[in-house]
Amino acid sequence: LSSVVSTKQAYTYGSETASIKIAALDFGIKTNILRCFAERDCLVKVFPAKTSFQEIKAWQPDGYFLSNGPGDPSVMTYAVETTKGILNSGTPVFGICLGHQILALASGLKTFKMHHGHRGLNHPVKNLISGLGEMTSQNHGFAVSKDGIENQNQVEVTHVHLNDGTVMGIRLKDKPAFSVQYHPEASPGPHDSRYLFDQFLGMINESKAIKV
């Protein structure tokens, strides 16, 4: 489904003089995600879902974004392979919703179809790193499986749903990449999770400083 709703041609959003360039893979991206990046002095180039890593890399982005979107992530082998290439480049990566699931698959985890999906506002999520709770907006019918997470050393669970314990966020221990299952950009709110955009930009700025 993502390949159907994705843009047919690449386009940019934000100021051409922005200090940070972000390449976004469009699996069904929301405009407010682009606004959240533009507000933080980012120029985003949105690429069709099936764009190859080499084509995206040629734009020389400072970071990569894996967007939300519809459909079963386990059949999106093209997106998983592109994400593996992105991860191997060592450039910072941030994923939301379907992008979170794609990052998980590219990292060797599994996904599953939920019996009841998470829909609507005010879903309680706990940030396991800070210990703080967040009220979140969610809209998904698939999730990252817990099976196998405890048996590998590359991925850490960072957020969990307080109602059913499902995985709501992960980060890679050996690469600058993280993702969340919910929507920090939600226009009507809650806005508890907008810090994730700043966290991503902090990761990008750190990466750029190391390169310099």
Side-chain angles (χ1 to χ4, degrees):
L1 293 176
S2 288
S3 62
V4 176
V5 303
S6 179
T7 183
K8 303 306 178 186
Q9 293 185 341
Y11 65 93
T12 58
Y13 189 101
S15 172
E16 295 291 336
T17 61
S19 61
I20 293 176
K21 294 168 59 178
I22 295 175
L25 268 175
D26 177 17
F27 304 131
I29 198 167
K30 293 185 177 183
T31 301
N32 208 47
I33 291 175
L34 301 177
R35 291 194 191 104
C36 286
F37 281 128
E39 290 168 358
R40 290 164 172 78
D41 195 30
C42 297
L43 172 65
V44 185
K45 187 167 185 178
V46 183
F47 292 88
K50 293 187 175 182
T51 309
S52 70
F53 168 62
Q54 293 301 327
E55 184 176 344
I56 303 172
K57 180 184 177 182
W59 189 58
Q60 297 183 319
D62 300 308
Y64 293 88
F65 176 73
L66 309 175
S67 88
N68 59 290
D72 182 351
S74 67
V75 301
M76 297 173 61
T77 53
Y78 59 90
V80 173
E81 288 305 310
T82 299
T83 301
K84 287 180 179 179
I86 292 171
L87 290 175
N88 288 334
S89 74
T91 306
V93 184
F94 176 30
I96 287 178
C97 202
L98 180 62
H100 160 74
Q101 298 159 11
I102 295 296
L103 179 65
L105 290 169
S107 303
L109 302 182
K110 298 178 181 179
T111 58
F112 69 97
K113 182 176 177 57
M114 304 174 73
H115 188 274
H116 288 86
H118 293 158
R119 315 290 178 186
L121 306 179
N122 298 331
H123 285 263
V125 167
K126 183 175 182 179
N127 183 325
L128 300 179
I129 306 301
S130 67
L132 299 177
E134 303 170 23
M135 298 308 294
T136 68
S137 176
Q138 302 195 13
N139 185 24
H140 60 99
F142 292 85
V144 174
S145 174
K146 290 182 178 178
D147 296 343
I149 290 181
E150 66 278 1
N151 297 323
Q152 52 77 47
N153 299 316
Q154 295 181 325
V155 183
E156 177 183 12
V157 176
T158 58
H159 298 75
V160 295
H161 200 298
L162 291 177
N163 286 348
D164 58 15
T166 51
V167 176
M168 288 287 110
I170 61 172
R171 70 178 179 184
L172 274 60
K173 298 179 182 179
D174 58 343
K175 300 182 187 299
F178 72 99
S179 60
V180 292
Q181 181 64 79
Y182 49 94
H183 289 275
E185 84 290 345
S187 293
H191 295 162
D192 297 20
S193 308
R194 289 287 172 91
Y195 71 89
L196 291 165
F197 290 98
D198 300 317
Q199 179 177 311
F200 182 44
L201 297 192
M203 185 181 287
I204 289 175
N205 286 325
E206 182 178 337
S207 175
K208 291 175 70 175
I210 291 174
K211 289 179 180 179
V212 171

